[in-house]
Amino acid sequence: MRIKLNMDQDWKLFVGDLSPRTSTEGWGGAKARAYDFGATAISLDDSGWTATDVPNDFVVSGDYTRKSAGENELQKIPAMESVDSRHFAGGCLEGKIAWYRKHFALPEGCEEKRVILYFDGIFRDSTIYLNEYLVGAHKGGYDSFWLDITDFVSFTGDNLLAVRVDASGREGWWYEGGGIYRHVALEICDTVSIAPWGVFISPAVDLKNKSAVISIKTEIASKNINAGEIQLKTEIIAPDSLSVCEAAKLLQLEAWENKNVSQEFHIEDVMLWDLDNPLLYKAVSSIYIDGRLADRCITSFGVRDIYFDAQKGFFLNGTHLKIKGVCCHHDHAVGGIAANDCIQEYRLRQLKKMGANAYRSAHHMPTQELLEMCDRIGMLVFDETRRMSSCEDDLTALRTMVKRDRNHPSVFLWGIGNEEVFSQDKSETARTTRTMKMEVKKLDPTRPVTSAVVCWNGKERFSTAQNYIPVTKNLDVMGFNYCAQAWDDYHASVPDQPVIITEASSNSGTRGCYSTNEAAAKYYIYDDDNAEKVKSGKNAVRRGIAEQEWKLCSEREYLAGIFIWTGIDYRGEPTPLGWPAVYSQFGVFDYCCFPKDNFYYYKSWWGEEDVLHIFPHWTFPGMEGRNLPVFCFSNLEEIELFVNGQSCGRQKMEKNGYLEWKDVTYFPGAVTAKGYRNGQLVLEKKITTAGVPSRIEAEIFRETQQTAEKQTIILNFSIVDENSNIVPYADNELSFEAEGGRILGCANGNPGDHSPENIPLKRAFGGRVQLVVQADRKQTVKVRVKTAALPEQVFEVK
């Protein structure tokens, strides 16, 4: 039977380079098992190395640095006119080289088995050694890979795994971190087994008769030195855990052969996967040899029907669905790119609260765990490869993405390129598009292929997309990044091709800040003086851009939907600000995934609930008697605003719009909004001037599908007054202690904060701090919070 071992725990880390610096150093390039020196030597004493678990990002704990570059490098950064170097665009943290080492032993009785080592992601160039043998190397920073290490492993003794990671190179123009930043696993299986990512499940749904035909292709790998007969048995388990059908097939396997086997199943009264009821089936694939169970693999899948119509948009299970999507990079406060499952689920659930129904993994394949979460909670995924290229290395990465991810019902669209400004209008790119598309279709003919096109060639911007038609007509779905002026023109020119907006602007800005101050890394999109306050000038004038693009999309039936840039802030690309900002501010959520005001804009027009939100906060010491505008995000028909009991007027809300009351005079007290529908009061929202900090409150998040021994817990702290109002100017320095757990770090979402996040000390920003704790799942964790002038508080988490 197949055994899967988690390999995340008990690694040793050394940041810096050691021999062997290349795989040909010493006798390495000439002889087998020649790496008995340096970091790969079994005899090396690594007791002075740092103990760590993976996923791990060793770059994130470095110091921020400012490096400028010449104009030539500036011009090579897509759409980053206000960023003065690629280093700055990448978040101002230096990529480095590091070594990881791990000792492990195999379970007893595995001598006749095969051993497969899985890395879900290493950034970036990695060289893998086992027991002083070179066992593999991998360049791509975002694609998963596996190695058959059977011939190099010790079945009865200790094993040493050593991995050199060179993160000094770049693939993107955002913060990319470095290290073994996704999960690592070991699988021990029979000499005849199901190949890695070897099951492909393809449901064809008959919506009228509520039935489905499930086609399953299974790749079986034999490492036997003799031919023989085997039986493949496949059983389908319904979401209610009942077996619905099964089939068995006998086949002859030649020695050392891989063979593909096809089976077909008919299901009546099928239970469909959709966003509100994400129901999942399981396929249990078993291999028997002479009646002995040799291997078993369980694959989750969903039964759903997806369809893009060139005139009417996107349909899920026969029902029209407007895609309301977010683009997201994968890094987060505290851990950087380290793929913490709890943090990934926290982010997804925050996005779903906003009304988002789709996630674009920008610009690379996501973690397997993220896709499993999207399957489970009901979120569509636009799955994207890192580089648009048909060279063999990049095609291998593309094939890996499709083979690994094609059973996830959440995945509805494959992406093969993003803003290829130097090539997207070239004839060779038409050939590349066809090649990549055909490689996808060979492995998964059920999902469409797109590429994200921008009306810019690196030098000039265009008002139409006519130049790109010879290339983009080869796509199943045309993808537009921005270029709203070209959408209708393109649709008229290529009327039979579906169109989706793969990237569009969101309201950018700093959480809780209502005046732009570039020197403090604060940006407020509604500040009328942004062109004068920010060095990038007109690039900082973005007011209303998000509302305009969503409104244009929502009004066009032919558009399948939109993905906004971005759902969550990320390190790097701080446009339109310069130093000291080191985070982007495009997100609807900040870097801790605390919601900004524009969360409520999207919740108003993407969600189903009644929404009423007004801003700014009403705590501005020293501004008494000054005028300031008040804004409202709501999906109600009419809103009346009151300041300290005096009406400022009643306004009608335009669909997909927002409201503004100009020149409201500030005096401490309360601002109240009353929202009406059909003349009837529906909601009332009141914000009051906050008093002095009184105590600390906490919101706690734990993942819902905990499997690891060490559970991650997120605690979001707010400094509040005696009435539980968050104090927006509170910047108390909080210190933390944890009993029964280990503090991974803390952060505040401030894009200009350069203080370390891997220590238990952080100054609040806008009255908020996020703490991440890792705990033994069997214990109660007690978190102690201390700060000057407030009582010490203890929070317990079981």
Side-chain angles (χ1 to χ4, degrees):
M1 275 290 291
R2 180 180 300 239
I3 301 171
K4 186 170 183 178
L5 302 176
N6 183 300
M7 295 280 281
D8 287 349
Q9 313 299 324
D10 303 323
W11 290 77
K12 290 294 189 73
L13 169 67
F14 177 82
V15 179
D17 204 5
L18 300 169
S19 291
R21 290 174 172 82
T22 69
S23 60
T24 58
E25 187 175 335
W27 281 97
K31 299 289 183 180
R33 202 181 185 280
Y35 300 96
D36 58 349
F37 59 94
T40 56
I42 294 173
S43 61
L44 176 73
D45 180 6
D46 59 12
S47 60
W49 290 26
T50 302
T52 189
D53 295 333
V54 300
N56 168 261
D57 177 0
F58 68 84
V59 173
V60 75
S61 58
D63 295 327
Y64 291 100
T65 61
R66 175 91 185 272
K67 288 187 176 181
S68 297
E71 286 298 313
N72 289 336
E73 184 174 352
L74 168 63
Q75 293 172 3
K76 294 180 181 179
I77 303 172
M80 290 292 105
E81 296 92 342
S82 63
V83 177
D84 62 0
S85 74
R86 192 176 185 190
H87 175 71
F88 186 35
C92 299
L93 288 172
E94 291 278 15
K96 302 173 184 177
I97 296 171
W99 279 91
Y100 293 83
R101 283 167 55 103
K102 177 179 174 64
H103 290 269
F104 68 95
L106 297 178
E108 293 182 0
C110 295
E111 287 81 357
E112 302 301 321
K113 304 290 187 180
R114 306 298 299 185
V115 183
I116 311 297
L117 178 63
Y118 288 86
F119 289 98
D120 199 36
I122 302 178
F123 195 89
R124 184 187 176 263
D125 291 0
S126 57
T127 315
I128 299 96
Y129 303 86
L130 179 66
N131 298 334
E132 300 179 349
Y133 288 95
L134 172 67
V135 296
H138 191 77
K139 288 185 177 181
Y142 296 100
D143 49 312
S144 303
F145 65 100
W146 58 270
L147 304 167
D148 187 331
I149 60 173
T150 306
D151 297 343
F152 310 101
V153 76
S154 170
F155 286 97
T156 58
D158 182 64
N159 291 277
L160 172 66
L161 181 62
V163 183
R164 182 181 185 269
V165 182
D166 184 350
S168 58
R170 299 284 296 280
E171 291 188 56
W173 49 94
W174 55 87
Y175 173 74
E176 295 185 283
I180 305 176
Y181 73 97
R182 293 182 179 177
H183 293 295
V184 183
L186 204 64
E187 281 196 349
I188 303 165
C189 54
D190 200 277
T191 52
V192 177
S193 62
I194 295 164
W197 309 317
V199 177
F200 175 39
I201 303 172
S202 175
V205 182
D206 183 340
L207 295 173
K208 182 178 179 181
N209 294 308
K210 298 181 181 179
S211 64
V213 176
I214 312 297
S215 299
I216 302 181
K217 294 180 179 179
T218 307
E219 182 184 358
I220 299 174
S222 171
K223 294 298 183 181
N224 273 346
I225 60 174
N226 298 309
E229 186 179 75
I230 71 161
Q231 182 188 57
L232 171 66
K233 180 181 177 181
T234 303
E235 181 183 18
I236 294 181
I237 309 296
D240 58 8
S241 299
L242 297 178
S243 176
V244 292
C245 52
E246 64 179 53
K249 181 174 283 191
L250 291 174
L251 59 146
Q252 186 75 18
L253 276 180
E254 300 301 320
W256 222 261
E257 178 193 27
N258 278 32
K259 179 171 285 188
N260 290 297
V261 184
S262 296
Q263 295 173 294
E264 192 171 275
F265 303 84
H266 295 260
I267 301 178
E268 302 297 329
D269 297 319
V270 68
M271 299 182 224
L272 297 180
W273 181 94
D274 63 28
L275 302 185
D276 295 323
N277 294 290
L279 301 174
L280 294 171
Y281 284 78
K282 292 179 181 177
V284 182
S285 308
S286 303
I287 294 176
Y288 292 87
I289 303 175
D290 297 328
R292 174 182 64 88
L293 178 61
D295 191 28
R296 174 165 287 163
C297 178
I298 300 176
T299 307
S300 291
F301 69 98
V303 180
R304 87 288 185 271
D305 180 79
I306 59 170
Y307 174 66
F308 282 86
D309 185 276
Q311 309 306 322
K312 296 184 178 181
F314 177 73
F315 291 80
L316 175 63
N317 298 331
T319 301
H320 180 263
L321 178 72
K322 199 77 165 182
I323 299 299
K324 301 165 184 174
V326 293
C327 302
C328 286
H329 286 313
H330 59 179
D331 63 307
H332 187 85
V334 177
I337 65 169
N340 183 291
D341 296 348
C342 179
I343 288 174
Q344 290 191 94
E345 183 175 345
Y346 162 69
R347 287 158 57 98
L348 287 172
R349 291 194 179 277
Q350 289 285 82
L351 293 168
K352 187 145 186 173
K353 285 180 184 177
M354 183 182 73
N357 59 24
Y359 180 100
R360 180 185 179 193
S361 181
H363 303 287
H364 50 76
M365 64 186 293
T367 67
Q368 297 184 73
E369 291 73 26
L370 182 138
L371 294 179
E372 290 168 2
M373 292 171 192
C374 289
D375 291 345
R376 196 171 68 243
I377 69 174
M379 177 83 76
L380 293 168
V381 178
F382 172 8
D383 203 344
E384 182 174 8
T385 195
R386 169 71 288 274
R387 190 160 58 184
M388 189 176 197
S389 166
S390 55
C391 78
E392 189 54 36
D393 284 351
D394 292 320
L395 288 181
T396 297
L398 178 67
R399 296 183 196 112
T400 294
M401 177 184 76
V402 177
K403 286 192 72 174
R404 196 201 69 174
D405 298 347
R406 59 190 174 175
N407 293 319
H408 291 282
S410 56
V411 176
F412 79 114
L413 191 62
W414 299 117
I416 61 171
N418 177 73
E419 295 188 4
E420 307 298 334
V421 295
F422 309 122
S423 64
Q424 60 189 6
D425 60 341
K426 301 291 190 287
S427 60
E428 57 265 30
T429 304
R431 300 193 294 271
T432 299
T433 299
R434 287 193 294 267
T435 297
M436 296 182 76
K437 178 179 170 181
M438 291 309 298
E439 289 287 344
V440 171
K441 297 297 184 182
K442 280 170 55 182
L443 296 170
D444 174 25
T446 70
R447 294 174 179 86
V449 172
T450 191
S451 182
V453 176
V454 66
C455 296
W456 183 46
N457 64 4
K459 297 178 181 177
E460 304 171 84
R461 298 187 182 276
F462 305 108
S463 59
T464 74
Q466 293 294 322
N467 292 352
Y468 306 121
I469 290 176
V471 172
T472 57
K473 69 180 182 181
N474 297 293
L475 298 167
D476 297 322
V477 178
M478 171 61 178
F480 268 109
N481 279 15
Y482 312 103
C483 311
Q485 73 283 353
W487 300 348
D488 291 345
D489 178 66
Y490 185 92
H491 178 57
S493 300
V494 193
D496 296 329
Q497 185 182 37
V499 180
I500 192 168
I501 309 309
T502 44
E503 197 170 309
S505 298
S506 66
N507 281 334
S508 52
T510 314
R511 173 181 56 83
C513 295
Y514 300 102
S515 179
T516 297
N517 182 346
E518 187 166 21
K522 295 178 180 179
Y523 176 67
Y524 182 42
I525 196 169
Y526 295 108
D527 196 324
D528 292 330
D529 299 325
N530 279 334
E532 291 72 40
K533 287 183 174 181
V534 177
K535 292 177 184 176
S536 63
K538 65 178 182 179
N539 290 324
V541 180
R542 300 172 57 83
R543 177 170 174 159
I545 189 169
E547 296 89 344
Q548 293 166 15
E549 293 193 344
W550 166 243
K551 189 172 187 295
L552 289 171
C553 176
S554 66
E555 292 170 347
R556 284 157 173 74
E557 188 179 21
Y558 74 85
L559 290 178
I562 197 169
F563 287 87
I564 60 170
W565 190 267
T566 56
I568 306 166
D569 285 352
Y570 55 94
R571 278 184 173 87
E573 288 193 307
T575 297
L577 302 186
W579 183 271
V582 291
Y583 299 170
S584 81
Q585 301 193 43
F586 302 117
V588 179
F589 296 86
D590 73 9
Y591 199 44
C592 295
C593 214
F594 295 147
K596 304 178 187 178
D597 289 305
N598 58 326
F599 165 88
Y600 296 95
Y601 172 77
Y602 290 105
K603 187 175 176 64
S604 295
W605 303 115
W606 286 11
E608 301 297 329
E609 302 173 21
D610 291 331
V611 177
L612 180 59
H613 177 74
I614 50 176
F615 63 98
H617 58 70
W618 209 242
T619 307
F620 295 99
M623 290 185 59
E624 291 79 0
R626 295 179 59 179
N627 290 337
L628 74 166
V630 175
F631 297 88
C632 176
F633 291 146
S634 179
N635 50 15
L636 300 176
E637 293 176 354
E638 293 182 296
I639 313 296
E640 186 170 10
L641 187 76
F642 298 84
V643 177
N644 293 328
Q646 298 296 314
S647 176
C648 297
R650 186 162 166 168
Q651 298 189 46
K652 290 186 177 181
M653 177 69 72
E654 181 184 349
K655 184 179 180 181
N656 298 312
Y658 66 96
L659 296 177
E660 177 183 3
W661 284 262
K662 297 182 179 180
D663 299 328
V664 177
T665 303
Y666 172 73
F667 284 102
V671 178
T672 303
K674 294 183 178 181
Y676 299 85
R677 182 180 290 117
N678 298 323
Q680 300 297 311
L681 180 65
V682 176
L683 283 178
E684 184 172 327
K685 177 67 182 290
K686 183 177 182 181
I687 54 176
T688 60
T689 303
V692 298
S694 174
R695 64 184 184 279
I696 297 168
E697 293 181 350
E699 296 176 349
I700 299 168
F701 181 86
R702 288 165 290 193
E703 57 196 297
T704 58
Q705 298 286 322
Q706 176 62 32
T707 57
E709 285 300 317
K710 296 181 178 180
Q711 182 176 5
T712 302
I713 303 163
I714 299 170
L715 298 98
N716 291 332
F717 294 104
S718 299
I719 300 173
V720 300
D721 66 10
E722 61 181 1
N723 296 315
S724 292
N725 298 308
I726 294 179
V727 182
Y729 60 81
D731 61 354
N732 305 53
E733 187 174 69
L734 307 184
S735 65
F736 304 97
E737 297 174 2
E739 178 184 331
R742 180 170 69 92
I743 292 174
L744 298 182
C746 48
N748 57 19
N750 180 356
D753 186 350
H754 299 179
S755 64
E757 296 181 351
N758 61 341
I759 61 173
L761 186 70
K762 180 62 63 173
R763 189 171 294 281
F765 179 69
R768 306 204 73 181
V769 172
Q770 182 172 90
L771 179 73
V772 182
V773 178
Q774 191 178 67
D776 185 336
R777 64 193 296 191
K778 299 176 183 178
Q779 295 183 358
T780 296
V781 179
K782 293 182 180 180
V783 175
R784 191 177 306 275
V785 187
K786 300 177 182 179
T787 186
L790 291 179
E792 178 181 303
Q793 291 178 245
V794 176
F795 298 87
E796 287 194 5
V797 186
K798 292 187 178 181

